[in-house]
Amino acid sequence: MARYSKIGVIGSGTIGTEIIEHILRATELELAFVLVSSAESITRPDLPAGVVTTDAEEALATPVDLVIEASVPGALADLAPRFLEGADVCGFSCTALADPAIEQAVRHACAASGHAFYVPHGAILALDGIADGRALLESVTVTTSKSGPSLGIGEGASGILFEGPTREVCARFPRNVNVHAAIALAGLGFDRTVSRVVAVPGLKTMQHHVEVKGQGLEWDIRVSSRSLGGVTGAYTPQSALGSIDRLLGGSGIVVA
C-alpha cells in the first residue's frame, strides 16, 4: 500500500512530466495539483480539471501528503519550508540547499512539523553508501563533464570551468550540479565536498565521476548518460521514478 495518496507536483519539464504521468497511471494515487510558472508549459492537455495552477498560494492551501519538486532551485528555496509545515517534500533541485539559510529553514521546518525532506539520487548512484559511510569519509570529489550547451553556455566552451567547494559550484551552476548537492548532503556537506565542472566540446553524454576516500575504504564511481538535449540525461527521468516508487512504498521485494 502506498505511503501517500495525495501528491502535488511543482514543475512540468522533462522530469516533472514523467512524474505526473507516473502518478496518473497509479490508481491508488491522486494528483492534487501541478504548480507551474505558466500554464502553457503543460505538455499534456488532458490533466484532471482544476489540477494545474500558477498560484503558489493556491497550491499551498491544497491538502497533500507529498510534494515533489522538479522545477528550479528558486522554487524549492521559496516553497519547501512552507510545504513542509503540512507534508513531506522530495526536492530534485537540491542545489537550493547550498544556501545556508535555505538549508537551515528546511531543517527547522522538518524538526517543527515532523515531516521529511527527501533528496533523490537523480543522475548519480551510491548515495545510500555515501550516507551510510559518512562517519568514515575523509574526502569526496565530484567531477562532472558536459558539453557547453548542457551546461547552459556556448558550444565552444572547453576545459575546467570550476574546481572548489560544492557550495560555490552550486551558486555558479545552480541548474546543472544537483548531483554535487545530493552527494554533499549525503556525505561531507557543501564545504568539505570538492566539485569540478569540465566542459568538453561535442560531448554527447553527461558524465559524473565520484572519488570517495575514507577509513578503510576507497570508491571510484563513474556514471555516463546520454543527453536529452538540455540539462537532463537519459537516465535521470527513470531514476526519478524509481525514487518516487521507493517513497510511495509497496509490497513484495523492494530494493531500497
Side-chain angles (χ1 to χ4, degrees), residues 16-36:
T17 297
E18 290 285 345
I19 292 170
I20 291 167
E21 296 279 357
H22 199 57
I23 294 169
L24 291 174
R25 286 193 294 268
T27 56
E28 73 276 18
L29 300 178
E30 176 187 342
L31 182 63
F33 69 77
V34 177
L35 176 61
V36 292

Side-chain angles (χ1 to χ4, degrees), residues 7-235:
I7 315 293
V9 178
I10 304 172
S12 62
T14 302
I15 296 174
T17 297
E18 290 285 345
I19 292 170
I20 291 167
E21 296 279 357
H22 199 57
I23 294 169
L24 291 174
R25 286 193 294 268
T27 56
E28 73 276 18
L29 300 178
E30 176 187 342
L31 182 63
F33 69 77
V34 177
L35 176 61
V36 292
S37 58
S38 169
E40 286 71 29
S41 66
I42 297 291
T43 58
R44 177 170 174 165
D46 58 337
L47 290 177
V51 163
V52 178
T53 180
T54 60
D55 186 343
E57 296 302 323
E58 180 181 347
L60 283 158
T62 304
V64 291
D65 306 309
L66 173 68
V67 175
I68 304 168
E69 176 278 326
S71 179
V72 294
L76 186 65
D78 291 341
L79 297 173
R82 299 182 66 189
F83 274 117
L84 281 164
E85 294 175 8
D88 289 349
V89 173
C90 176
F92 282 86
S93 302
C94 52
T95 56
L97 274 68
D99 182 332
I102 301 304
E103 181 178 3
Q104 183 179 13
V106 167
R107 292 188 184 278
H108 177 77
C110 291
S113 68
H115 287 290
F117 181 94
Y118 295 102
V119 179
H121 68 276
I124 197 63
L125 309 178
L127 278 194
D128 57 343
I130 292 172
D132 291 346
R134 183 185 294 122
L136 302 176
L137 302 185
E138 295 171 345
S139 68
V140 178
T141 300
V142 191
T143 301
T144 289
S145 300
K146 296 183 179 183
S147 68
S150 291
L151 289 167
I153 56 180
E155 178 66 54
S158 179
I160 297 176
L161 304 182
F162 179 90
E163 185 168 7
T166 296
R167 190 178 303 281
E168 295 180 19
V169 81
C170 289
R172 182 164 176 182
F173 298 97
R175 297 190 64 184
N176 290 278
V177 293
N178 286 306
V179 161
H180 297 237
I183 290 170
L185 287 164
L188 295 177
F190 287 100
D191 295 310
R192 293 180 59 199
T193 305
V194 176
S195 288
R196 187 182 297 117
V197 176
V198 182
V200 181
L203 188 66
K204 301 302 182 184
T205 58
M206 299 180 176
Q207 302 175 3
H208 305 291
H209 180 202
V210 186
E211 301 164 90
V212 181
K213 296 180 180 179
Q215 301 170 40
L217 61 87
E218 186 170 342
W219 304 332
D220 191 85
I221 305 160
R222 294 178 182 270
V223 178
S224 179
S225 182
R226 178 178 52 84
S227 171
L228 293 178
V231 300
T232 302
Y235 169 65

